Amino acid sequence: MQNSGYIFDIKKYSVNDGPGIRTTVFLKGCPLTCWWCHNPESRGTEPEKVDNCSFRWNLSHDPAQRNIIGSKVAVSEVMKEIEKDIPFYEESKGGVTFSGGEPMLQIDFLYELLSSCKKNDISTAIDTTGYASPADFEKIYDITDIFLYDLKLMDEKLHYEYCGVSNKLIHDNLRELSSRDTKIILRLPIIPTITDSEENISRTIEFISSLNNIREIDLLPFHSTAKSKYERMKIMNKVIELIPPDKKYINEIKNKFSELGIPIKIGG
Amino acid sequence: MNERIKKLRQQSLDAVPTLSHERAQLLTDFYKSGEAQKHSIPVARALSFKYILENKTLCVNEGELFVGEKGPEPKATPTYPELCIHSEQDIDILHNRSKVWFRSSEETRDVILKEVAPFWKGKSIREKILEEVDEQWLDSYKAGVFTEFMEQRAPGHTVGDDKIFRKGMLDFKKEIQESIAKLDFYNDTEAFAKREELRAMEISADALITFAKRYSILLYELAKKEKDKRRKNELETLAGICERVPANAPRTFWEALQYYWFVHLGVTTELNTWDSFNPGRLDQHLQPFYKRDVESGLLTEDQARQLLQSFWVKFNNQPAPPKVGVTAQESNTYTDFCLINVGGVTEKGEDATNDMSYMILDVIEEMRLLQPSSMVQVSKKNPDRLLKRALKIIKTGYGQPSIFNTDAIIQELTRQGKSIIDARCGGASGCVEAGAFGKESYILTGYFNIPKILEITLNNGVDPRTQKKIGIDTGNSEKFNSFDELYDAFEKQLNHFIDIKIKGNLIIERIYAEYMPAPFLSILVDDCIEKGKDYNAGGARYNSSYIQGVGLGTITDSLSSIKFHVFDKKNFSMKEMIELLKNNFDDNKEARDKFLFETPKYGNDDDYADDITQRVFESYFKAVDGRPNTKGGHFRIDLLPTTCHVYFGSVLGATPDGRFAKEPVSEGISPVQGADVHGPTSVIKSASKIDHLRTGGTLLNQKFTPNFLETDDGIEKILQLIRTYFRLDGHHMQFNVVDAEVLKKAQKHPEKYRDLIVRVAGYSDYFVDLGEDLQNEIIRRTEHTGY
């Protein structure tokens, strides 16, 4: 039993990470290094010092914590925060979403959190890159109601180049998951010049059409909100020159996916 | 909106607010004539009302579908010298100030200063009040511990029910006569007083009929001269309507609305009642007329819409009565708080929404006028459609309608002893005040500065601003050994000042009861006729007096800061804390930052702070609720500020929560600006920890940017937020859909806007957390989506 783990934020009234009103818990640590990542502070597995941190989930009122991203918290502490918003989940058919980073990276901690939620009848979702061992997926399958699953690049080499890992495991896990009785929401980052190529889109469509249980596709257009985070964390921002796509362009991409007959949402 | 309505709307927007001397002059003429002295006070008041309505200038504006203005023309605003007298300086201030001005002509100045003021000097209610209250009251009032509502406006705070839509003034007269006939002069020692009051009511009913008849005659004349055939027809119809109502019960949609309007003018001509007056549950009242008229082919949907739009313009033509004294300088709104209610439940407790509910919402959206204000009552029985429709108006950033929890209102009213039926037929008026419409006098008596009580406690009874000892001895606060000791002292001071306020209220209530009866208003409120008693003297079926607590957020955070930093963490001694406050934190940024950012605060669903909120609520409730007023009713609490949190802040030194001296205190039950950093669900959780059902109203503000509400999904998420708040018994919520200007301010002063949520790009975030580049981008975007 893993009674504590590392998180870097808890966000209440989260309205774009699954259905209804949700609380999103951000677990720290990610095996991927996507160029367009808008949570670069999520990558490291341990707490780290950052200037002018805007870290909000700090109920300890401890000034020493102010400029540190991430902290070790007990399952019970996280649950206390999650349970506070139960009336909102009930009213909106929402729940809790574990995001990251890659929440599967702290599988035991995640498992405890998910089971505690289930015990309290709180609907659960995880927002995953899919990069985890099949055994880990097996472990949480029964206690996860919705999988928010990222699909980035179909070409293995390009995936390796832009995300730092191969996509094989990600695709295998997704295939397996989709063969089960589950709810999957696919999340596709639309990154100009990187994921929006003719080829990547058609291969993605082809892949999705071979899957089952896909309830929704979310197109996530690139945005530059993380710019100042990169600056504050002194991490090189490789997509600094990219311009966010406009509405019209995103709609064109949306049209391409519409042949799948699956509901498509722009933004989460 | 058709051409006619556009024109009427524009006429109203362009009309110049002026001070009108007409009412004051007529009133003065009447009282100078010697006629008043022949009668009892109620009858004299009624006769003066009649004199005014018989002689005031009639006004028919081009193209309008309803007649009657408070003054001789739109936005000509009467004064009420029997209550308060405008001095030369007041008139100048009103004339010259840069916002919310009232222009006055030479003639008006002359009449008010030479004829009106000299006559009323020494006789006005305001002077009586200031003579009758004691020194303690005056000291507390001057220190800014509380305000007094009735010092220049009459008790009003009531709203019409359905009775005028069922009965004409002639019917009321009959009831009045029956009540007179039933008087028992053998056993009832008040029989004579009752008869005088009832006679006054009868005279007032006649006065309104006469007023309408004068219009009828004028309209027939105008119709004769009118060349345009359509308008000629309209004028004739309108003349017929004024002949029929208010003498008789209305038969049609048009008659119903014109009838209400005469009543509105009657109430607001008789006295400058607080919160004006309003038709209350307008959708409920109008629906039967609408249905009948449409079915019989008398009215089309478009015509009904046009009538409502024209009706809306009439409200906008009546600015709130101009103030005198300090208030003339500070009061900054033309709004007179007519709050039209839409939705809610029926007498039987069923969903009350109907065609009219939606049509009224359409009208609100299209007319986009300052007045009347509007609100939507939402019960768990009302469909989401109603709420969504309201949110679609709110998202245009116009701040209307506000949203109320019908189920909470009903429980609040029944807790106070109202019947369930009367509660269901009620609603909210003014800002957020729950009331049994047409059956209750629910008087707001003044705002109460709760954080000021802490300041006085910390200074052992002395007000640091006026340097006067106005409180009681509760001990040197530097010597307090525990938070509980401090809190006990705070509670003692609180009770002390509530006692002072209530003593003043009981005196002022009687001043109005004795000197300023309102026989016309009394006709409209059950059971004044039956009891033979005036509205101002306990004639209403229910009589509540409120003291409105202000600064719940500021007091919680201040007490929390002392508890946390002085007693728990021992970061500061009490002495250091008091020194810091005295010196407005001097240049000790570090200490102030601790108070600002490292203190558990209200609005974050943090029990450390919220327990204190509950404790303050209980103390305030205990100090006020259930104490008797002079009308057979009780004192109650509500928590709303209007704009008083600004004034209360201006008389308050620095507070332990990090607030600088003179800055506004928190408003309503909203957290201190920027203190809530965990999003709206946490605010709602904190706000619902106080027991709304034991108040008569609370006010919660939420801020969103327009683009958050851009999509149906966004609207759905706000709807769910509201539904949850109401499930937790929240009373009211209003949305501030902020525009680019606000965002620009947020950029400059991020510490004040830490709670501002914006939709960024498929997700939402705190505005102040975004990089400057993105903030600029959103500001630009918001400028496009803003209205």
Side-chain angles (χ1 to χ4, degrees), chain B residues 662-682:
Chain B
K662 297 190 174 167
E663 282 185 354
V665 299
S666 61
E667 47 85 29
I669 58 164
S670 312
V672 170
Q673 271 200 337
D676 52 316
V677 292
H678 291 285
T681 61
S682 300

Side-chain angles (χ1 to χ4, degrees), chain B residues 404-405 408 412 687-688 692 698 724-732:
Chain B
F404 284 79
N405 181 359
E412 289 158 19
S688 60
H692 296 243
T698 61
T724 312
Y725 184 48
F726 287 0
R727 179 175 153 181
L728 299 172
D729 290 336
H731 174 88
H732 152 279

Side-chain angles (χ1 to χ4, degrees), chain B residues 115 336 349 565:
Chain B
E115 290 177 38
D336 206 10
H565 295 295

